Amino acid sequence: MTGERPFSQACENNKGPILAVLQQHCQVGGTLLEIGAGTGQHAAWLSAQLPHLNWQPSDVADNLPGVRQWLQEPESRALPPLELDVSGRWPDQQFDYLYTANTLHIMSREEVVRFITAGCEHLKDKGCFVVYGPFKVAGHFTSGSNARFDEWLKDIDPQRGIRDQEWIEELFSRQQRKLVAEYDLPANNKVLVFG
Ligand SMILES: C[S@@+](CC[C@H](N)C(=O)[O-])C[C@H]1O[C@@H](n2cnc3c(N)ncnc32)[C@H](O)[C@@H]1O
């Protein structure tokens, strides 16, 4: 890919708070699979801050050229990105950690189910699955800006939308995983940690 690399201001804003959570829940060395790496900014920066992890970014094929550009940052320690559509074939590997940011409201509900089911099948028993993004709680948006964001998402694609935290917890519980921690992050986002 030539030209300017993709850029997300949100990634710059949220990477510090996300790092604080990962430092707490990913203390033991191992391999972390990032799903929906997007621009690749998180992979490049977070992998540098967490050198005890083998950071494996992944995304659908269209995003991989941009991710590769970010991984050229000298500080990046991330592995070359894998092509992974959560509805397709997953790598034949068990991971210590799974991490995803801002993907559940972009995927359709069917894709979210497939993601959590297949993700848990590829997570070691003692591993944890870290999910960042906006959620509804008890059927309500946690802010007016999230309600407007949900409308905007659905205008683009009616299958998109901010998910209910309780539904996500239910999908994990079907895989014998439970919520072990949750954090309120800036800009009305949350991190949910399942173990
Ligand atoms: C809003 S972007 C978030 C990107 C990045 N994680 C971030 O925080 O900026 C949503 C990401 O979900 C990915 N995604 C959507 N559907 C997917 C699927 N079926 N399988 C894997 N990734 C998917 C998109 O390709 C995109 O990278």
Side-chain angles (χ1 to χ4, degrees), residues 8 11 34-39 42 59-60 63 84-87 101-103 105-107 111:
S8 157
C11 282
E34 178 186 12
I35 300 97
T39 61
H42 280 166
D59 208 326
V60 297
N63 284 344
L84 174 60
D85 183 317
V86 297
S87 298
N102 281 328
T103 55
H105 57 272
I106 300 296
M107 295 174 186
E111 286 172 329

Side-chain angles (χ1 to χ4, degrees), residues 6 13 32 40 59 75 87 104 136 156 180:
N13 299 344
L32 177 150
D59 208 326
E75 64 173 4
S87 298
L104 301 187
K136 284 195 279 182
I156 297 171
V180 293

Side-chain angles (χ1 to χ4, degrees), residues 14 17-18 21 99-102 104 130-138 140 142 146 162-166 169 179 181-193:
N14 62 29
I18 291 173
V21 175
Y99 161 73
T100 195
N102 281 328
L104 301 187
V130 179
V131 183
Y132 169 89
F135 294 93
K136 284 195 279 182
V137 177
H140 298 288
T142 59
N146 277 1
I162 294 181
R163 308 301 171 197
D164 284 295
Q165 180 174 333
E166 294 82 356
E169 288 183 37
L179 185 68
E182 65 177 288
Y183 302 88
D184 288 326
L185 263 62
N188 306 300
N189 288 296
K190 298 181 98 169
V191 176
L192 307 180
V193 183

Side-chain angles (χ1 to χ4, degrees), residues 23-77:
Q23 282 170 327
Q24 199 167 332
H25 291 277
C26 308
Q27 291 184 7
V28 177
T31 301
L32 177 150
L33 175 66
E34 178 186 12
I35 300 97
T39 61
Q41 281 161 269
H42 280 166
W45 191 78
L46 291 168
S47 68
Q49 316 309 314
L50 299 163
H52 60 295
L53 300 181
N54 295 316
W55 190 286
Q56 176 62 75
S58 73
D59 208 326
V60 297
D62 283 354
N63 284 344
L64 298 188
V67 175
R68 288 193 190 101
Q69 283 192 311
W70 273 94
L71 300 193
Q72 286 169 17
E73 286 284 302
E75 64 173 4
S76 173
R77 296 177 50 88

Side-chain angles (χ1 to χ4, degrees), residues 146-165:
N146 277 1
R148 289 189 293 280
F149 181 50
D150 184 71
E151 273 180 32
W152 179 80
L153 287 167
K154 288 180 172 135
D155 279 348
I156 297 171
D157 181 346
Q159 301 219 65
R160 293 184 177 181
I162 294 181
R163 308 301 171 197
D164 284 295
Q165 180 174 333

